[in-house]
Amino acid sequence: MVSWSGLRLCRQWQCFRGRRSMAAVVSGNKSSTQVRKRLKKEVEEMKTRFPGFRPGLVVLQVGDREDSNLYISVKLKAAAEIGINANHLRLPKSATEDEVLRSIMVVNENPAIHGLIVQLPLDSVNRIDTEKVTNAVAPEKDVDGLTSINAGKLARGDLGNCFIPCTPNGCMELIRQTGVSVAGKKAVVIGRSKIVGAPMHDLLLWNHATVTTCHSKTVDLAAEVSMADILVVGAGKAEMVKGEWVKQGAVVIDCGINHIPDSTKSNGKRVVGDVHYASARERAGFITPVPGGVGPMTVAMLMQNTVQSAKRFLQMHQGGKWNISYTKLNLQTPVPSICCTTLIIWLEVGLLSDEVEMYGKTKAKVQLSVIKRLEGHSDGKYVVVTGITPTPLGEGKSTTTVGLVQAMGAHLNLNAFACVRQPSQGPTFGIKGGAAGGGYSQVIPMEEFNLHLTGDIHAITAANNLVAAAIDARVFHEATQSDKALFSRLVPLSGGQRKFSPIQLNRLKRLGIEKVDPNTLTEEEVTRFVRLDIDPESITWQRVMDTNDRFLRKLTIGQSSTEKGFTRTTQFDISVASEIMAVLALTSSLEDMRSRLARMVVATSRSGKPITTEDLGVSGALTVLMRDAIKPNLMQTLEGTPVFVHAGPFANIAHGNSSILADKIALKLVGPDGFVVTEAGFGADIGMEKFFNIKCRYSGLRPHVVVLVATVRALKMHGGGPTVTAGLTLPKEYTEENLELLEKGCCNLRKQVQNAMAFGVPVVVAVNAFKTDTDAELDLVCRLAKSAGAFDAVHCSHWAKGGAGAVALGQAVQKAAEAPSDFKFLYDVELPIVDKIRIIAQKIYGADDVELLPEAQHKVELYTKQGFGNLPICMAKTHLSLSHDSEKKGVPTGFILPIRDIRASVGAGFLYPLVGTMSTMPGLPTRPCFYDIDLDPETEQVDGLF
């Protein structure tokens, strides 16, 4: 491969008696300087638009030839001048082909590198297949233009969609500088190498020259040369083309670089080209010198290709319009059971291969490194989907979320991303079923979504129960051992020495003990170090499992004789109620998650001090268990729009929203004109309130639109309709038109619209239509929603029609996102705990006041004393009523909200009052969903899951 540096184009004319006596010398220096200045300006513009971004180039060299080192240093210097981040990667001459290929693969997968050139030795120790190595370079990073894909594109004329080899590209630039038009000219190329001759032929041909390629076997080479208007020589033979062969006035481009003996030179040799320069100059119109002609332009074109590659990278990954082939639905009535083996899409939405970890064919995890890469990109529009107070059957928020993004993506041609929670297996096998959406608006494969997914909830369960085991084990060991014995076991001898672990050193610092040598601790310091002195009655951390099991709501542990009578009463919560789930949903990075996990308070010491997982020494292990769970899960909808499925806290007993990380990544990927639609659990009084006051407070994100989902059947229930029971036939009030009952129930819709508007964000009401709803009923709900203050209200049929059934909703959301908004939180976190609870109860639920029972009052005093009084509030309340009584529908008034207890999720960052008899472990109904779930052993298809 020919490589040069230097670059300048200089036209020299010598005139004698009004006639040109010698060819103009086409030099590379001036031209290359102009190219470098232009490229430097382009790189500076990139860095301004995308702070922290720089084009990246790697030169992979095998061996250590002196001439190669010289050429490489020239390239690295040119790159540095322009602002390209260039690196020289060296492999020894003894490197094997596999080692070279592995090095290429690493560079291919590095998104910070946009160009890669490989220089192999002529005399490698191990046999290396040059063609195989060349084609191992990713075509989009092949700035040498030598892979078969780039060569093929050049051969068929796709000049704007490939990288042109640097020397031929430099030759064309020099020809252009002469002012001679290539079109229609007779061009002769001598040499047919893949680096110069062959691509030069193609380049001239597609610039409309008539091209002849000559070589060592060409008969009467002089005759061919004599007909050339443009002559490009790259044969690698010193002065093989004689001056008298050259056509009068021709353009001569000499790519040769040869050494011949010359006793007048200090090194005994001089450099000449493939053309006899002196004699050819007498006949040619333009000629390039050697050295200093083509060589400098070769380096300039390498830099140009690298910058072009970086531009293409930014264009592909800056959040522009996605190029997704959306799935066309074949709508059927009734909607059939739908299965899917479709590969998920990730490249189309701007993710890179090294940012995606595939889990089978239909789901993947996304690396958090994408956040750093996209940090300079603008966010898209942020939409939260919530609902009116629901029936026990649910009103279709998940279905609406999916239908909306399908409408925006597949039908309105917008970048649209859904961010939803991972469902708990408790409801999946209990009463509600899964949460993938339904009908033609669902996340697929639904079975993968609703069951284990990638194991995040299992990781949370394991981490949570490790903490529980650590608590009880510590209480037991402290009760049965002396200080000395505890210290000997906590800081064991190893190799005759005791050494604190890093987490133990952290504990010492918190205790104010600035020592690192275990042998220097005083007896008093040893006691303080080894004794957490947990009050068993103060333990708030429960064991969890992801199954609805009412018989685990209260139990006694420690009854085995090996526990020596140390029993206590405790309970199980459902896994998604674990604080670790809330930490996952609210964290912003791996470092932040480690910090939050360490801050989790599990109990109080007998002296009233909070005990954390860091005190227990388990926080580092928790981070290890959660290291994969922190990565959002990527799936897709039936129509091919992307979905992040990440975190799954309940909204009635936790904060009920998917992860901040998923939302932030999605907002960058959709770009400023795109939309991210996330779902808040249950009604607006539950999930939406926590979305605003907790999630948005920690994320710093500000939503553009609230989509409030309502159904005719739920509103009729709020109007006084009979009780709805899962699994039983709906009473006729819900399947027959009843405008009076419906209008009466719209009081709940009005209240929830007002709740959403209290945060200063436009509200669009989506009336999720069922087949028994009449047009008059749907129109009535839309009219009353608008009169309540909604920006717009539309009815949707996305369950039956997919995205096509939610196009009107998508258009309404688009318009609402452009409307003025004035987002604000409901309360100041610095207010006293009771005041914050009261504000939520009165402004959102409509309560007259709150009543703190003795345990709750004690916790208010305790948490205030411990410094947790400035945390936001996460109410644990029934989702079936605005009040604490699930039987009170519509808009209850005149009630006092009872606060039974308050717990602290310090790591997650909130306090959660328990309202009324709210349980954190659901139970199974008489006929759970699992009666209908089975597996076909022949097809391996899951039946009965919904």
Side-chain angles (χ1 to χ4, degrees):
M1 174 180 172
V2 180
S3 295
W4 292 87
S5 75
L7 309 191
R8 180 169 61 227
L9 180 65
C10 176
R11 181 170 294 179
Q12 295 180 349
W13 294 89
Q14 293 184 353
C15 298
F16 180 69
R17 293 181 181 178
R19 295 178 56 200
R20 188 179 67 192
S21 61
M22 303 198 60
V25 178
V26 186
S27 175
N29 294 331
K30 183 177 180 181
S31 182
S32 92
T33 300
Q34 292 173 348
V35 171
R36 291 188 190 188
K37 285 182 178 179
R38 172 175 56 82
L39 294 177
K40 182 176 182 180
K41 184 178 180 181
E42 291 177 8
V43 170
E44 288 172 350
E45 289 173 353
M46 283 189 221
K47 291 164 70 176
T48 299
R49 288 187 61 197
F50 304 99
F53 179 84
R54 286 180 68 189
L57 173 67
V58 165
V59 180
L60 174 58
Q61 180 187 17
V62 181
D64 195 30
R65 283 176 51 194
E66 183 178 345
D67 54 349
S68 291
N69 290 338
L70 175 62
Y71 296 152
I72 290 170
S73 67
V74 169
K75 294 169 185 173
L76 296 177
K77 181 180 178 183
E81 290 176 0
I82 293 167
I84 296 171
N85 183 25
N87 291 286
H88 185 189
L89 180 60
R90 299 173 185 265
L91 293 179
K93 188 176 180 180
S94 60
T96 64
E97 183 179 282
D98 284 345
E99 289 172 335
V100 176
L101 292 174
R102 279 197 296 271
S103 297
I104 291 173
M105 185 181 298
V106 170
V107 176
N108 282 345
E109 294 182 350
N110 186 345
I113 304 300
H114 310 102
L116 168 61
I117 60 175
V118 182
Q119 296 206 337
L120 299 175
L122 299 176
D123 54 347
S124 130
V125 173
N126 296 297
R127 185 177 179 82
I128 295 178
D129 185 334
T130 303
E131 191 73 8
K132 185 176 181 180
V133 167
T134 299
N135 283 307
V137 177
E140 67 273 13
K141 298 188 178 186
D142 173 30
V143 289
D144 256 343
L146 300 179
T147 62
S148 296
I149 290 177
N150 278 317
K153 288 181 177 180
L154 175 59
R156 69 185 188 188
D158 293 342
L159 305 188
N161 191 31
C162 70
F163 286 116
I164 299 170
C166 303
T167 297
N169 207 11
C171 291
M172 284 301 299
E173 186 62 31
L174 292 174
I175 293 170
R176 291 188 193 99
Q177 293 296 325
T178 68
V180 174
S181 174
V182 175
K185 296 295 190 296
K186 168 73 175 179
V188 172
V189 177
I190 301 178
R192 52 186 173 179
S193 73
K194 296 177 181 178
I195 296 172
V196 180
M200 192 72 235
H201 173 279
D202 294 334
L203 202 51
L204 286 164
L205 180 67
W206 292 111
N207 278 275
H208 312 298
T210 301
V211 188
T212 300
T213 297
C214 300
H215 44 77
S216 59
K217 304 297 183 182
T218 299
V219 176
D220 200 356
L221 181 61
E224 296 288 348
V225 171
S226 67
M227 292 187 289
D229 300 312
I230 298 172
L231 176 64
V232 181
V233 187
K237 293 185 178 180
E239 299 182 331
M240 66 173 291
V241 175
K242 309 306 178 186
E244 57 267 25
W245 297 357
V246 175
K247 182 179 180 179
Q248 191 73 40
V251 175
V252 179
I253 306 295
D254 189 351
C255 303
I257 179 76
N258 309 282
H259 294 88
I260 62 173
D262 188 340
S263 59
T264 66
K265 302 294 181 182
S266 59
N267 61 357
K269 55 186 178 181
R270 63 187 173 92
V271 177
V272 298
D274 291 355
V275 179
H276 192 280
Y277 179 76
S279 59
R281 190 179 175 196
E282 293 179 359
R283 296 180 60 81
F286 300 88
I287 190 169
T288 57
V290 177
V294 173
M297 289 305 294
T298 298
V299 176
M301 294 302 102
L302 174 63
M303 300 300 113
Q304 180 169 285
N305 281 351
T306 302
V307 172
Q308 180 61 38
S309 177
K311 286 181 179 179
R312 291 174 182 172
F313 174 87
L314 288 174
Q315 186 174 10
M316 181 178 294
H317 300 289
Q318 68 177 349
K321 285 288 184 184
W322 293 341
N323 184 26
I324 296 178
S325 297
Y326 293 106
T327 305
K328 301 295 182 183
L329 297 179
N330 178 23
L331 301 177
Q332 300 176 40
T333 304
V335 177
S337 176
I338 301 170
C339 61
C340 169
T341 56
T342 307
L343 292 174
I344 66 168
I345 47 172
W346 48 266
L347 183 62
E348 290 88 343
V349 300
L351 292 167
L352 306 179
S353 59
D354 67 321
E355 293 168 344
V356 176
E357 298 175 8
M358 296 297 298
Y359 275 64
K361 294 181 178 180
T362 57
K363 57 188 185 293
K365 277 194 167 292
V366 175
Q367 297 271 7
L368 301 189
S369 58
V370 67
I371 297 174
K372 177 68 174 176
R373 177 172 67 82
L374 299 177
E375 65 181 350
H377 294 202
S378 299
D379 286 347
K381 305 292 193 303
Y382 196 28
V383 180
V384 60
V385 176
T386 185
I388 61 169
T389 305
T391 68
L393 306 178
E395 306 315 311
K397 287 193 312 301
S398 299
T399 307
T400 302
T401 299
V402 174
L404 176 56
V405 295
Q406 288 184 157
M408 290 183 139
H411 300 271
L412 296 177
N413 196 32
L414 297 166
N415 294 351
F417 222 120
C419 293
V420 299
R421 291 171 295 160
Q422 179 184 353
S424 163
Q425 290 181 34
T428 298
F429 291 102
I431 187 171
K432 182 176 176 290
Y440 285 112
S441 293
Q442 59 178 286
V443 181
I444 54 173
M446 177 263 288
E447 296 84 359
E448 300 278 356
F449 176 92
N450 283 320
L451 298 176
H452 306 285
L453 196 58
T454 56
D456 293 351
I457 293 180
H458 299 312
I460 289 165
T461 303
N464 184 99
N465 292 342
L466 179 61
V467 175
I471 295 168
D472 288 312
R474 187 60 175 259
V475 171
F476 173 78
H477 290 308
E478 286 191 24
T480 57
Q481 298 180 50
S482 65
D483 292 354
K484 183 177 180 181
L486 279 170
F487 189 77
S488 295
R489 289 178 173 87
L490 287 171
V491 193
L493 281 171
S494 178
Q497 292 184 330
R498 298 187 191 277
K499 185 178 180 180
F500 291 122
S501 68
I503 204 166
Q504 289 176 326
L505 290 171
N506 289 342
R507 172 162 168 75
L508 287 170
K509 289 180 180 178
R510 290 196 305 278
L511 292 171
I513 302 173
E514 298 293 334
K515 295 180 179 179
V516 296
D517 184 354
N519 298 315
T520 61
L521 265 64
T522 66
E523 287 188 10
E524 185 267 341
E525 288 171 340
V526 167
T527 299
R528 290 172 59 206
F529 171 74
V530 302
R531 297 283 172 187
L532 298 181
D533 198 25
I534 295 172
D535 179 1
E537 296 298 319
S538 73
I539 296 173
T540 55
W541 195 268
Q542 318 295 352
R543 288 167 172 81
V544 300
M545 64 185 303
D546 200 35
T547 302
N548 289 2
D549 191 342
R550 65 178 64 248
F551 284 91
L552 295 180
R553 289 171 176 169
K554 187 174 183 180
L555 64 159
T556 303
I557 61 172
Q559 296 189 81
S560 170
S561 60
T562 55
E563 273 53 74
K564 303 179 182 179
F566 289 94
T567 62
R568 71 179 180 92
T569 300
T570 185
Q571 68 182 62
F572 270 74
D573 293 338
I574 195 160
S575 292
V576 292
S578 169
E579 183 177 354
I580 297 177
M581 174 63 86
V583 166
L584 176 65
L586 293 170
T587 195
S588 59
S589 65
L590 191 59
E591 182 181 9
D592 180 55
M593 184 177 73
R594 171 67 175 81
S595 176
R596 287 175 178 270
L597 291 172
R599 293 199 304 268
M600 294 190 303
V601 174
V602 300
T604 301
S605 71
R606 287 185 173 87
S607 62
K609 295 179 180 178
I611 304 298
T612 67
T613 56
E614 186 85 347
D615 292 321
L616 286 168
V618 73
S619 53
L622 300 181
T623 310
V624 171
L625 285 171
M626 294 293 293
R627 65 173 184 168
D628 290 322
I630 195 174
K631 304 167 191 172
N633 304 295
L634 179 64
M635 298 185 77
Q636 65 184 15
T637 70
L638 272 171
E639 295 190 51
T641 49
V643 181
F644 274 137
V645 186
H646 200 216
F650 278 176
N652 54 350
I653 54 179
H655 77 285
N657 285 270
S658 60
S659 78
I660 287 173
L661 284 170
D663 289 359
K664 285 190 170 182
I665 294 172
L667 284 164
K668 295 297 184 186
L669 291 173
V670 298
D673 297 323
F675 285 80
V676 170
V677 182
T678 189
E679 178 195 349
F682 295 125
D685 58 307
I686 301 289
M688 185 202 71
E689 181 270 317
K690 296 170 184 176
F691 170 82
F692 287 131
N693 283 321
I694 298 176
K695 185 176 181 179
C696 290
R697 200 183 294 269
Y698 283 119
S699 70
L701 300 173
R702 298 295 178 261
H704 294 79
V705 184
V706 172
V707 173
L708 185 72
V709 180
T711 62
V712 168
R713 70 182 185 186
L715 291 171
K716 286 180 176 179
M717 180 190 69
H718 288 296
T723 301
V724 174
T725 305
L728 299 182
T729 303
L730 284 173
K732 65 181 180 62
E733 286 85 352
Y734 299 106
T735 58
E736 298 176 1
E737 184 175 288
N738 190 328
L739 297 177
E740 181 181 356
L741 185 64
L742 176 60
E743 184 169 2
K744 185 179 179 183
C746 280
C747 62
N748 185 270
L749 172 63
R750 186 181 305 109
K751 173 60 177 169
Q752 297 289 32
V753 169
Q754 292 169 355
N755 283 341
M757 292 175 62
F759 294 91
V761 181
V763 181
V764 174
V765 172
V767 187
N768 186 20
F770 287 73
K771 63 182 180 180
T772 56
D773 299 339
T774 67
D775 289 342
E777 289 176 324
L778 295 171
D779 291 342
L780 175 62
V781 177
C782 289
R783 179 171 59 82
L784 293 176
K786 291 178 185 178
S787 68
F791 177 88
D792 202 352
V794 296
H795 49 83
C796 318
S797 54
H798 42 274
W799 188 91
K801 297 180 181 179
V807 169
L809 176 60
Q811 292 168 335
V813 168
Q814 267 189 284
K815 292 177 183 177
E818 300 301 326
S821 63
D822 182 26
F823 175 75
K824 51 184 174 293
F825 296 118
L826 191 67
Y827 55 80
D828 183 343
V829 290
E830 297 300 328
L831 289 172
I833 295 172
V834 177
D835 288 356
K836 289 181 285 191
I837 295 173
R838 182 176 291 109
I839 288 172
I840 296 171
Q842 293 178 335
K843 292 189 176 182
I844 300 297
Y845 306 155
D848 284 350
D849 204 349
V850 296
E851 178 188 11
L852 270 63
L853 300 184
E855 183 61 28
Q857 185 61 50
H858 167 69
K859 293 293 181 60
V860 167
E861 295 167 1
L862 175 66
Y863 295 146
T864 301
K865 180 180 178 182
Q866 291 178 339
F868 306 141
N870 61 348
L871 294 176
I873 301 298
C874 180
M875 303 287 277
K877 182 186 78 72
T878 179
H879 58 290
L880 298 174
S881 172
L882 283 163
S883 74
H884 58 284
D885 185 349
S886 61
E887 299 301 316
K888 291 184 178 180
K889 306 303 180 184
V891 182
T893 58
F895 64 94
I896 304 295
L897 194 74
I899 309 299
R900 171 168 54 91
D901 193 4
I902 301 176
R903 297 178 184 172
S905 290
V906 179
F910 55 73
L911 302 176
Y912 63 105
L914 298 175
V915 180
T917 57
M918 189 68 214
S919 173
T920 51
M921 169 55 82
L924 289 173
T926 304
R927 192 187 188 283
C929 297
F930 60 63
Y931 275 86
D932 302 310
I933 298 172
D934 207 340
L935 184 73
D936 187 321
E938 292 186 5
T939 64
E940 297 188 9
Q941 183 172 331
V942 176
D943 296 324
L945 192 63
F946 68 93

